Amino acid sequence: MAARNITLSLPDDLIRKAKVHAAQHNSTVNALVRKLLEEALSDDRRTRAAVDELLTIAARGPYFNRDPRAIRREEIYERR
C-alpha cells in the first residue's frame, strides 16, 4: 500500500511536544502517529471481536431460568 500525504491540524505546542518525544525515542512524529493509530484501531478490532463473541454466546442462551434478583446471596456463595 502506498503512503499518502495528508494534512492534520494540530496545536503548535502539541507538535512541539511530539517532536521532542519522537527525538528522545529515536523516532519521527510520523512514526509516532502511525503507531498510535495502529494501536487504537487494533484495540477497536479486539473489542468488536469480543463483543461479537459475547453476543454469539448470549444468542445460545438462556443460561438462567430464574430472575437474578430472586437469587439469595447464600445461594451464590454455596459450595458445590
Side-chain angles (χ1 to χ4, degrees), residues 3 6 12 20 22-24 39 44-45 48 55 57 59 63 68-69 72-73 75 78-79:
I6 62 169
D12 290 340
V20 170
Q24 290 172 339
E39 288 174 359
D44 282 351
R45 280 193 299 268
R48 279 194 301 272
L55 290 174
I57 291 169
Y63 292 97
R69 292 170 293 188
R72 294 186 345 249
R73 179 184 174 132
E75 290 177 278
E78 260 179 19
R79 291 195 181 252

Side-chain angles (χ1 to χ4, degrees), residues 13-71:
D13 62 323
L14 182 59
I15 293 172
R16 208 170 11 263
K17 290 175 184 177
K19 286 180 178 180
V20 170
H21 181 84
Q24 290 172 339
H25 292 87
N26 297 320
S27 187
T28 63
V29 173
N30 188 56
L32 275 176
V33 170
R34 183 184 312 112
K35 181 180 177 186
L36 289 170
L37 286 172
E38 287 171 349
E39 288 174 359
L41 295 173
S42 175
D43 288 347
D44 282 351
R45 280 193 299 268
R46 284 195 301 267
T47 300
R48 279 194 301 272
V51 166
D52 289 345
E53 185 175 346
L54 284 172
L55 290 174
T56 300
I57 291 169
R60 291 187 217 135
Y63 292 97
F64 300 104
N65 55 6
R66 292 175 57 185
D67 181 350
R69 292 170 293 188
I71 300 173

